[in-house]
Amino acid sequence: MGETMRAVDIENGKGPISALHITETARPTPTDSQALVRVKAFGLNRMDLLQREGKYPVPPQAPSTLGVEFSGIIESLGSSGGGAENFAVGDEVFGLAYGGAYAEYVAVSVKMLVRKPKELSWEECAGIPETWITATQALYLVAKFAQGKSVLWHAAASSVSIAGIQLAKADGASAVYATARQDEKCTFAVDTLGATAAFNTVTSNWADEVLKATNGKGVDIIIDFIGGGYFQDNLKAIARDGVIVALGFMGGPIVKGDVDISPILMKRVTYVGSTLRSRDEDYQGKLRDQLVEHALPKFKDGSFKVYVEKVLPWEKIQDAHRLLEENKTKGKVICTIP
């Protein structure tokens, strides 16, 4: 096996889309508990755009190469072998890494690998790990979702919300609401994903619409990627004893104007932030196990679907980033490596 591989690099370490290019770099060597995977496809995530611009706090154990989710074939194993899952060279897998997936090979803990079902394509599998594990973490571990609770997912056509809407519906949510900035995405959330209702945040007062839909009660759980701009309306739309989970700041981190925080007290609101990439392997591994036990059977029988907006060869990585930045996608953007 050669000592080098091709990988996507960023000229000068950070920059605009035009800084992305494929170059030759050192091939990683798996440590004791890792596998070296030959990548067939990798998924793009919004954190990749921020990392490319130098605006994302990369974990210390992550390589400089972008990308956290992938599918591929195990090329070699560290000295500890395949771990409890008994992985072997040649196994078809998909998984979550701290970084390095925009490359021909990625070294990743065997705890974060999942066997690829024959029912799913390489491209579909590459779109599962980050998004579905993030949705699982937010809904169950952080928000403490239980059957009968209502949920609102902002950014309805984002891959995490697409996963979350399906999870909440499957586990008996009393209602699943969503928001988006385009009517087309709202229609997608209702007609395709099965959300109870979806509200356009540009053309309507979505918080008032939520209260109207819930007879004034509000929703039990809100999963928010937008940040400062939705802070006040989140407090308006949340139900008593509700939980608001902050996963991102797509609309900026600053809350502007006069803000009434009294609902936090009067409604006994829990407002909590959460991240995934900075968590340790044990934490991520438990989420991976939950994904395998809870979601994988539903992927196999078609109950859960991975929505892929576009598949591009990795030589068109600039086009892939551009597509994601345009905020018009409904689902994953995936790149394939021949």
Side-chain angles (χ1 to χ4, degrees):
M1 185 186 301
E3 296 181 353
T4 63
M5 67 176 181
R6 292 184 300 160
V8 175
D9 194 16
I10 310 167
E11 188 175 358
N12 299 319
K14 63 179 180 179
I17 289 175
S18 59
L20 293 171
H21 63 282
I22 296 176
T23 188
E24 200 82 9
T25 188
R27 179 180 294 185
T29 301
T31 62
D32 291 349
S33 59
Q34 289 184 326
L36 182 70
V37 177
R38 177 162 57 86
V39 177
K40 298 281 288 184
F42 59 83
L44 275 68
N45 292 282
R46 196 155 294 276
M47 75 174 82
D48 302 347
L49 308 183
L50 296 173
Q51 185 177 337
R52 190 200 73 226
E53 296 172 347
K55 298 177 181 177
Y56 190 91
V58 180
Q61 66 270 52
S64 59
T65 303
L66 296 168
V68 298
E69 58 182 353
F70 61 90
S71 60
I73 301 170
I74 294 179
E75 184 83 9
S76 64
L77 291 160
S79 58
S80 296
E85 295 286 344
N86 295 315
F87 286 112
V89 172
D91 283 351
E92 297 181 347
V93 295
F94 62 95
L96 184 67
Y98 285 109
Y102 285 25
E104 290 181 313
Y105 295 88
V106 62
V108 60
S109 168
V110 293
K111 292 180 182 179
M112 297 312 298
L113 292 178
V114 179
R115 296 183 188 279
K116 175 186 173 296
K118 67 180 188 321
E119 294 86 353
L120 298 181
S121 67
W122 293 111
E123 292 82 3
E124 288 172 316
C125 286
I128 292 174
E130 169 66 19
T131 49
W132 282 81
I133 288 178
T134 296
T136 297
Q137 175 196 27
L139 193 61
Y140 302 104
L141 268 67
V142 182
K144 310 297 183 187
F145 172 80
Q147 184 177 0
K149 290 190 175 183
S150 57
V151 188
L152 169 68
W153 293 84
H154 286 309
S158 71
S159 294
V160 174
S161 289
I162 288 172
I165 290 169
Q166 293 180 75
L167 286 166
K169 276 195 63 192
D171 282 349
S174 60
V176 183
Y177 300 104
T179 71
R181 294 173 57 85
Q182 301 166 26
D183 286 339
E184 182 184 0
K185 291 183 177 181
C186 290
T187 300
F188 169 76
V190 175
D191 293 351
T192 302
L193 301 179
T196 309
F199 312 109
N200 188 318
T201 60
V202 176
T203 60
S204 71
N205 186 316
W206 67 265
D208 285 345
E209 293 297 328
V210 168
L211 291 176
K212 188 186 301 181
T214 59
N215 296 316
K217 176 181 181 290
V219 286
D220 297 310
I221 295 168
I222 295 176
I223 311 294
D224 179 33
F225 310 87
I226 311 301
Y230 284 10
F231 184 83
Q232 187 73 81
D233 280 338
N234 281 339
L235 293 180
K236 186 176 183 179
I238 195 71
R240 188 178 301 277
D241 294 316
V243 181
I244 302 169
V245 182
L247 294 183
F249 303 111
M250 290 168 57
I254 306 301
V255 180
K256 297 179 181 179
D258 296 325
V259 178
D260 178 8
I261 65 171
S262 64
I264 296 176
L265 177 65
M266 303 308 294
K267 293 184 180 181
R268 301 188 294 267
V269 174
T270 299
Y271 200 109
V272 57
S274 185
T275 60
L276 176 62
R277 193 175 180 184
S278 60
R279 305 282 191 168
D280 62 34
E281 276 186 13
D282 287 339
Y283 180 95
Q284 291 191 4
K286 289 175 183 177
L287 284 167
R288 172 260 182 205
D289 292 345
Q290 190 168 349
L291 176 76
V292 170
E293 294 164 9
H294 183 62
L296 199 61
K298 292 183 172 67
F299 284 124
K300 291 179 178 179
D301 69 19
S303 302
F304 285 167
K305 297 185 184 300
V306 184
Y307 289 87
V308 177
E309 173 78 16
K310 189 80 171 178
V311 177
L312 295 166
W314 76 321
E315 290 87 356
K316 293 189 176 182
I317 187 61
Q318 292 187 10
D319 291 340
H321 268 234
R322 194 170 293 110
L323 189 61
L324 204 60
E325 282 194 348
E326 290 174 351
N327 288 325
K328 296 178 181 177
T329 56
K330 297 185 293 294
K332 296 297 295 187
V333 177
I334 304 292
C335 285
T336 55
I337 302 177

